[in-house]
Amino acid sequence: MSRLLGRLLLLASAVLVGALALGPVVLKGRVDAFYGRFISPPAGSLILGTSRAAQGIQPAVLTAQLGQTWAGPLLNYAFTLTHSPYGPAYLRSIQRKLRPDVTNGLFIVAVDPWSLSLAGPEGHFPETNSFIGQLQQVSQKPNLDYLIRYQTKPLYRLLLDYATAAERLHPDGWLEVNIGTDSAQVRARTARKVQDYRRLAATHHLSAGRLAALRQTIRFLRRHGRVYLVRLPMGAPLFQLEQAYQPDFNLLMRETAATLAVPYLDYSTQPYATTDGNHLERAASRAFSQQLAADLQRL
């Protein structure tokens, strides 16, 4: 009996120690590259798009340079190509995240051909079955629904990743990625990334449904403030692939912006350093955010 009691006490102690260790990780939102955005308060302004925007646009830089001239907080609510291409699910998540009373928000809507593409028939949007489509509470701390349904790491991995992860999600939603950036590493990653997107180009098409959802998203956001359509910088190999895949993409975006009376800012050919041809390096992300802020000031 005493041996069983000892084991139970040992187990209870282990659970308590684990809970105490994990508590700060969960409460500070450092569970993974997404969770922190779902425990932050409802936003007054948003940065939208896929991982290119998640890593490439820093809310803190925009706020420091522009001042708090719009409704806050400004949150980077961009995820990945898998989770947040433009579609009905992403729009619903945006509507949940934005404070309904906002009238002077700032909204940066990042676009590229992939975020408006689809594999398979129109009307079937795979992200509907992801957390973007399924999570009803997007400003809850702690967000137990996310932790139970979408956080799949073993508990010990949360602690290890918290201490060693190359990715750090900031409270304002910017995803900082700290990986090697010497030229050989970047060339190798870029070659792999281009291969990945060549496979996408072979199986995907520009989607009328996603384009319609983008327009609906812009119309919704215009009721709450100023909207800017933005195409971020990328490496030359990926830009060339995008040109081959959708040569008229910039024309389509200019026409979309003109129809909806919003500016379109195209930085696709500007020479900012990337980690893999697709995502800006940390320093380049800061420099680009400064340029974007300066251009917003002029508009």
Side-chain angles (χ1 to χ4, degrees):
M1 185 66 166
S2 60
R3 183 177 297 178
L4 176 61
L5 182 59
R7 288 178 178 175
L8 289 174
L9 289 173
L10 183 63
L11 177 61
S13 298
V15 170
L16 178 60
V17 169
L20 290 173
L22 282 171
V25 176
V26 171
L27 291 176
K28 291 181 180 179
R30 295 175 182 174
V31 169
D32 57 22
F34 313 124
Y35 174 72
R37 300 189 185 105
F38 296 127
I39 64 170
S40 62
S45 298
L46 293 166
I47 296 164
L48 305 174
T50 63
S51 59
R52 196 179 288 181
Q55 297 179 38
I57 305 177
Q58 299 187 28
V61 173
L62 296 182
T63 301
Q65 194 161 328
L66 295 173
Q68 193 64 58
T69 57
W70 58 80
L74 171 61
L75 176 71
N76 190 319
Y77 202 61
F79 294 86
T80 71
L81 183 57
T82 298
H83 299 100
S84 56
Y86 292 101
Y90 193 25
L91 174 55
R92 287 193 295 270
S93 189
I94 292 164
Q95 290 169 333
R96 294 182 186 117
K97 192 65 186 181
L98 183 65
R99 291 204 322 270
D101 62 317
V102 168
T103 58
N104 64 327
L106 170 67
F107 305 105
I108 298 170
V109 180
V111 291
D112 58 62
W114 318 107
S115 65
L116 294 170
S117 292
L118 189 65
E122 287 289 343
H124 175 68
F125 302 105
E127 69 277 6
T128 301
N129 296 318
S130 76
F131 57 73
I132 283 293
Q134 298 296 312
L135 202 61
Q136 299 296 311
Q137 299 296 328
V138 296
S139 300
Q140 188 176 70
K141 185 176 183 178
N143 197 315
L144 297 180
D145 194 15
Y146 182 93
L147 292 173
I148 291 168
R149 298 174 63 188
Y150 301 108
Q151 197 302 111
T152 58
K153 297 177 185 176
L155 295 182
Y156 77 91
R157 287 299 320 173
L158 289 181
L159 291 174
L160 289 176
D161 290 350
Y162 174 68
T164 63
E167 296 181 339
R168 178 192 168 199
L169 185 65
H170 287 244
D172 62 12
W174 174 50
L175 182 62
E176 178 183 0
V177 177
N178 183 19
I179 56 178
T181 55
D182 70 65
S183 57
Q185 290 174 310
V186 172
R187 282 196 301 270
R189 288 195 212 101
T190 298
R192 291 193 296 270
K193 187 65 67 174
V194 169
Q195 280 298 109
D196 290 342
Y197 278 93
R198 280 182 181 149
R199 285 190 284 270
L200 285 180
T203 58
H204 285 61
H205 63 275
L206 195 68
S207 164
R210 292 210 185 281
L211 185 59
L214 171 66
R215 290 168 176 158
Q216 290 172 342
T217 300
I218 293 172
R219 290 190 187 99
F220 165 73
L221 295 173
R222 281 184 58 204
R223 300 200 297 268
H224 296 277
R226 299 204 64 181
V227 181
Y228 300 88
L229 203 60
V230 176
R231 189 178 184 186
L232 273 75
M234 72 203 80
L238 191 55
F239 175 72
Q240 291 165 5
L241 177 59
E242 290 189 2
Q243 285 296 96
Y245 174 59
Q246 290 297 328
D248 296 326
F249 183 76
N250 271 339
L251 175 61
L252 177 62
M253 290 300 97
R254 284 194 292 269
E255 291 175 346
T256 298
T259 299
L260 297 173
V262 301
Y264 175 52
L265 304 175
D266 175 27
Y267 301 95
S268 56
T269 60
Q270 296 204 7
Y272 285 91
T274 71
T275 58
D276 58 3
N278 187 39
H279 304 101
L280 295 181
E281 292 181 0
R282 287 188 302 167
S285 170
R286 180 175 183 81
F288 171 68
S289 298
Q290 290 171 334
Q291 180 180 354
L292 178 59
D295 291 340
L296 295 181
Q297 281 180 315
R298 287 193 288 269
L299 290 174

